Amino acid sequence: MSESPSIWEVRLGIHATRQQAEEIEERIVGLLCPDPDHTPPCPIPWSASLLHGSGLEEDDPYPELVEQAEAEKHIRP
């Protein structure tokens, strides 16, 4: 028995510049819809959005990313 489709959210936190974040978003969109010129609708409806940390509902949803970025700063040549 299959279940009915519903909304799912996949979250990805990244520590990046705005340009890097936009490039990553474009790559993800390319994975979701590898043929942007196809006849609508998409087989699996989707949407993507890019949010800066200050616009997130949670105060600090990815503290481990900041910690990891700080630690890696000290080991990069």
Side-chain angles (χ1 to χ4, degrees), residues 39-62:
T39 305
C42 266
I44 299 176
W46 61 274
S47 71
S49 60
L50 187 60
L51 300 172
H52 184 269
S54 62
L56 299 175
E57 292 176 7
E58 300 172 46
D59 287 338
D60 194 6
Y62 300 104

Side-chain angles (χ1 to χ4, degrees), residues 11 13-15 53 56 58-71:
R11 287 186 158 200
I14 57 172
H15 190 270
L56 299 175
E58 300 172 46
D59 287 338
D60 194 6
Y62 300 104
E64 70 280 359
L65 290 179
V66 176
E67 182 180 334
Q68 178 183 352
E70 289 299 318

Side-chain angles (χ1 to χ4, degrees), residues 22-45:
E22 288 171 352
E23 290 171 3
I24 291 169
E25 180 188 30
E26 286 179 29
R27 294 168 91 181
I28 292 170
V29 167
L31 291 171
L32 294 171
C33 188
D35 181 12
D37 298 323
H38 70 80
T39 305
C42 266
I44 299 176

